[in-house]
Amino acid sequence: MPGVGDDATDEYAVARAGMVEHQLRRRGLRDRRVLEAMGRVPRHLFVPEAVRHVAYDDRPLPIADGQTISQPYIVAVMIELAGVTSRSRVLEIGTGSGYAAAVLAAVAGEVVSIERHPGLAAAARAALEATGVRNVAVFVGDGTRGFPDRAPFDAIIATAAGPRIPSSWAEQLVQGGRIVAPVERDDGHQELVRAVVSAGTVREEVALPVAFVPLIGADGFPDPPARRA
Ligand code: SAM
């Protein structure tokens, strides 16, 4: 991955180092491998050219199909909360740009990522390939069903907010496996939830308030989301 539009004098590398220091370290993120990955993955190569100059800003950015690439801080928090190690097999729901998958790939052993928009999945595959990421497989489909063909996973990370955590996700985890996902409550507010699955029970705790695009699918919100005026 190093060497792709990115050497020590590159303005993007400087912006990325600033992002890690100001947006991540100073906000309390401590997982060394997550910080290293965030310092290495060239986020500017996963965003549309029109917003490349602000790729390392402290915010989500628009990508195609009305979707977003998440704020860097949220990407790092989710991976840290999921307790991902170099041996982890991780399922990501919502590939989007492929950026979070690339960060995950640098921390985990293997990543499976599902995206419902075929165009986004194709662009993400191309960006992952261009940046030298080899241990991510991107599929097109409805991630609310999980991905039984490749289960079990050590962790599942969802980057779109549904009305609940689908039961199929818990069924596709190893004992002690973790789910990190935004959930939209009845009053419309969203919370990032961390769930740990063990001995047939799912223990959920709320990590922080968030704002994600909707999780659309069989066990998510309907398509089109007519409820959003
Ligand atoms: N992880 C992404 C990144 O790094 O760019 C952020 C993705 S964006 C916040 C959420 C993505 O979830 C969108 O691309 C959206 O199309 C996708 N999505 C929504 N519902 C989905 C579903 N049921 N299955 C798979 N992808 C879904």
Side-chain angles (χ1 to χ4, degrees):
M1 199 172 300
V4 185
D6 180 35
D7 62 36
T9 59
D10 187 328
E11 65 183 280
Y12 290 119
V14 173
R16 188 160 58 249
M19 170 194 88
V20 171
E21 180 57 32
H22 298 286
Q23 300 172 34
L24 309 183
R25 256 189 237 287
R26 291 195 191 174
R27 285 188 183 139
L29 283 161
R30 287 289 167 263
D31 186 319
R32 183 182 53 80
R33 299 185 66 247
V34 176
L35 292 170
E36 276 173 14
M38 295 291 293
R40 263 202 330 269
V41 176
R43 180 173 164 93
H44 61 283
L45 299 181
F46 289 85
V47 302
E49 227 167 303
V51 293
R52 198 158 277 177
H53 60 294
V54 288
Y56 296 97
D57 281 11
D58 189 15
R59 58 179 162 124
L61 293 170
I63 56 174
D65 290 312
Q67 304 303 314
T68 55
I69 173 173
S70 305
Q71 179 191 13
Y73 173 70
I74 292 294
V75 173
V77 164
M78 291 180 88
I79 299 174
E80 191 167 296
L81 282 172
V84 178
T85 73
S86 59
R87 290 207 302 268
S88 301
R89 299 187 68 242
V90 183
L91 174 64
E92 180 193 37
I93 316 289
T95 316
S97 67
Y99 171 71
V103 177
L104 265 173
V107 180
E110 185 189 344
V111 180
V112 175
S113 186
I114 309 180
E115 171 55 53
R116 64 184 289 270
H117 287 290
L120 283 178
R125 277 192 206 107
L128 289 162
E129 174 150 9
T131 51
V133 178
R134 300 276 175 263
N135 52 340
V136 177
V138 176
F139 294 91
V140 176
D142 176 8
T144 66
R145 303 280 200 208
F147 202 78
D149 287 0
R150 295 284 184 106
F153 302 98
D154 298 292
I156 296 179
I157 293 179
T159 64
R164 70 193 79 84
I165 292 185
S167 55
S168 64
W169 295 357
E171 289 158 15
Q172 293 173 32
L173 282 177
V174 299
Q175 283 299 312
R178 288 83 54 200
I179 297 168
V180 176
V183 175
E184 186 165 309
R185 306 300 183 192
D186 289 344
D187 66 0
H189 85 279
Q190 294 181 7
E191 299 172 329
L192 189 62
V193 171
R194 178 180 193 267
V196 180
V197 177
S198 134
T201 63
V202 182
R203 190 167 38 83
E204 289 190 16
E205 61 194 43
V206 172
L208 70 158
V210 286
F212 277 84
V213 297
L215 179 75
I216 294 169
D219 205 357
F221 288 116
D223 179 24
R227 68 203 175 82
R228 287 166 188 259

